Amino acid sequence: MSFTLLTQSAVGGLLLGGIYGLLALGLSLSWGLLRLVNLSHFALAFLGAYLIYHLGTNYGVPAWLSALIILPAFFLVGLALHALFVHFKVSEFASMLVTFGLTILIESLIQWIWSADFLKYETSYAQESLRIGPLYVPILELLTLVAAAVLAAAAWFGLNRTTLGKALRAAAHDGPIAAAFGINAKRLSYVLAGLCAASAGVAGLFIALTSTLAPSQIESWIGVVFAVVIIGGLANPVGALAAGMLIGVSEALTMAVVNPAWAPLVAFSILIILLLWRPKWL
Amino acid sequence: MLLEVRNLHVAYGDAPALWEAALDIGAGQIVSVVGPNGAGKSTLINAIAGILRPTHGEIRIDGAEIARIPGYRVCDHGIAIVPEGRRLFTHMTVLENLELGSYRGAARAVRDEGIEEVFSLFPILRERQNQISGSMSGGQQQMVAIGRALMARPRVLLMDEPSLGLSPAVVEDMFKIIRMINERGVAVLLVEQNINKALEIAHHAYVIEQGRIVTSGQPSTLLSNPRIREAYLGI
């Protein structure tokens, strides 16, 4: 086991953390601030990835242009979905069941349209990478991490430095008192739900560009990203990204050093250790 | 009348908690509502603040009906609450709590002046402005809760058990502060179990028992009523 190989694995893991962080962001905010555990976030991301694949492969639409269409559309999907949650007064636990059902529905839809086969969105730039000394850094994965970092920073700024973000946090903390001071939590929650859904679109874009698509992939992400959300702390965007990178690196190193089959064990082992240990910074 | 409550009924689900409540607060008055635990004092104050929705009845401020408007718009009419147990946004700083007090329109426009006024009323909060509010002592948290409510520029300040859980010395200060706020022209509706204090400071008082307002009048009159002396003051 050479040092270069280890470092290369770590870099790969760090970059993988980008996509974990992207997916975790929307889930973490929705769970922490709206008290809705939105499992369909993953299905939505994959739906976005498939749409980008479809538009690109069949009509030659560049991925960035597809994303420009999909993001506002997903924002609206987020609003519509939230309207249902609000109308039926869906509780935290019930939201998990409802969105699990929705996930199955979207997964079936994807399978019906695009089949259960593995698909890969081929682009001329897919294999581009930077070379830093002995290390290769694939450009698209690097962009994923950059996008995750930009979104996490934007979300942090929005929640901690703007009045609307503080109002959202206040409403999540004590809804009735926030309302007594004029905070219209319902309207803010719609905006947040829309933004979370749009962030699933961003994750979809990078899933399309960097991963192989199959409907069954949706579920394989749920477990790891759940662990990432909990380790990162609910409604903590920067924590979600940091946890994503931690899990990504740990998985990659496990694959390189021990055995690739052990990688799925890592996320939950770390989660359990951290939950037992409960360090102060968590 | 600045604030008029008429025939107000409030229920928690199917369980009624307040019947036929009627209450008046004149401009610049301190009005106390006293009564035992569970009599419906908090229910009354929360209904006025828009936190609980009445099943029936009217709440008017300067003639404007507010019992049926969305809860988050009640504060636009100049009503702010210092809730029981303070209920600060404990994970936020003192300054952020104060900022959120002036979330709406007119109050937000004069936020900086408001913060200065709160700091002049509670100098300790200026020093502690960047401290997480949940980490402060009970008395200091009560200052933040009062400051947050003042940030909303209220015409009527609703105070629900402000002395609860505070040491006697701090309670003494709290009532001085209430008087100071009132002298600045803010009407105060005070709900208290500390009946001596609440009656001492009030211009007018109501006694509430088992969800009904049973009597009202000048504090001195109430204090001379033998039944009230026996029931609440143990003399």
Side-chain angles (χ1 to χ4, degrees), chain A residues 130-167:
Chain A
L130 289 175
R131 195 165 172 183
I132 303 168
L135 301 174
Y136 286 95
V137 180
I139 297 275
L140 285 176
E141 271 89 348
L142 183 63
L143 275 179
T144 309
L145 184 60
V146 169
V150 168
L151 285 192
W156 181 88
F157 185 86
L159 288 176
N160 292 286
R161 289 289 179 270
T162 69
T163 303
L164 283 184
K166 289 175 191 176

Side-chain angles (χ1 to χ4, degrees), chain A residues 216-234:
Chain A
S216 59
Q217 293 287 91
I218 296 171
E219 280 130 39
S220 69
W221 290 82
I222 291 182
V224 180
V225 175
F226 240 87
V228 166
V229 167
I230 294 168
I231 294 170
L234 294 186

